[in-house]
């Protein structure tokens, strides 16, 4: 019975401990995302071949500029 209790403890507690953050996002250097800065060739390719993705990058960068925790 004692062995079962220890096994159950490991099964349920270890994933919680392993997935817990080690520090707060406010203490870090960002909220987990950063400004996207593709080079000129990549920008030209996105605009030419994948307009939808280029719009997503622009929307991401707009949100990042407005978010204080976004790494710039």
């Amino acid at each position: 019975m004692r062995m079962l209790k220890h096994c159950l403890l490991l099964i349920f507690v270890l994933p919680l401990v392993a997935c817990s953050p080690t520090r707060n996002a406010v203490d870090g250097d960002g909220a987990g995302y950063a400004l996207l800065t593709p080079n000129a060739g990549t920008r030209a390719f996105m605009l030419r071949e994948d307009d939808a993705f280029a719009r997503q990058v622009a929307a991401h960068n707009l949100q990042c500029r407005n978010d204080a925790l976004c790494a710039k």
Side-chain angles (χ1 to χ4, degrees):
M1 186 63 157
R2 185 174 178 193
M3 182 69 154
L4 177 64
K5 188 188 290 186
H6 287 284
C7 288
L8 289 175
L9 179 71
L10 289 176
I11 289 171
F12 291 110
V13 173
L14 279 181
L16 293 174
V17 173
C19 294
S20 66
T22 56
R23 63 182 180 164
N24 193 346
V26 175
D27 298 335
D29 58 347
Y33 67 102
L35 193 67
L36 299 175
T37 55
N39 64 29
T42 303
R43 281 193 306 268
F45 178 81
M46 285 188 318
L47 291 171
R48 186 177 63 246
E49 302 292 330
D50 196 354
D51 187 55
F53 181 66
R55 290 178 188 272
Q56 291 173 356
V57 170
H60 169 87
N61 285 344
L62 181 65
Q63 180 61 41
C64 184
R65 286 185 188 98
N66 293 329
D67 189 359
L69 293 177
C70 179
K72 294 170 185 72

